[in-house]
Amino acid sequence: MIGVRLLIHLIPEKWSNFELNKAYSEEKPKWIWGVGIFSIFIVIVTWYKEITTEVHLSIILSILITLTLIKVSQILFNYNKFRSFVTKALVEDRRIITQISIGTTILGIILILLGIFLY
């Protein structure tokens, strides 16, 4: 969550090229279905462990992992809108990617702190 954000801002042209031409090409790549199914599997396993084991405050991580399904569903079922958003954020209005980077970095730091001090 933190390291990739640095790359986005250190090499913006190369990163934009990678995202728009390789990761999220105009035609929906086939790997997206595999990653989407894997993500759903991870969420199911997480909730299974949440229900069957007692780990103090694990509900926090279960909810955070479940929230990843928002992005996964957008990529799987609204690919063209998602790609339009990525294009806008990377090419047209860099403020969007900056805001996303700040939020993601803060969330990454919070998760690290949760891991160190809570678990």
Side-chain angles (χ1 to χ4, degrees):
M1 293 179 87
I2 298 169
V4 170
R5 301 297 147 199
L6 291 172
L7 284 176
I8 290 172
H9 296 285
L10 290 175
I11 53 170
E13 288 180 24
K14 287 183 181 181
W15 186 264
S16 296
N17 185 43
F18 166 74
E19 288 239 351
L20 295 175
N21 297 322
K22 294 194 172 133
Y24 304 116
S25 58
E26 285 194 43
E27 185 177 322
K28 185 189 317 186
K30 301 214 185 310
W31 64 264
I32 287 178
W33 287 102
V35 170
I37 291 168
F38 182 70
S39 299
I40 293 167
F41 174 75
I42 293 292
V43 171
I44 290 169
V45 169
T46 300
W47 280 103
Y48 170 76
K49 295 303 272 181
E50 174 65 36
I51 293 167
T52 60
T53 59
E54 289 190 30
V55 177
H56 182 65
L57 298 174
S58 62
I59 190 78
I60 297 168
L61 290 177
S62 298
I63 291 169
L64 287 173
I65 289 171
T66 303
L67 289 174
T68 64
L69 291 181
I70 295 169
K71 181 177 179 182
V72 169
S73 67
Q74 291 305 302
I75 292 172
L76 288 176
F77 304 115
N78 293 320
Y79 182 77
N80 290 330
K81 280 187 177 181
F82 179 79
R83 189 172 188 285
S84 303
F85 173 76
V86 170
T87 303
K88 183 177 180 184
L90 291 173
V91 178
E92 297 170 19
D93 190 355
R94 298 276 309 164
R95 289 180 300 159
I96 295 170
I97 200 71
T98 301
Q99 292 169 347
I100 291 171
S101 294
I102 291 168
T104 304
T105 301
I106 291 169
L107 182 59
I109 292 168
I110 290 170
L111 289 174
I112 290 169
L113 293 174
L114 281 173
I116 293 171
F117 296 110
L118 205 55
Y119 297 106

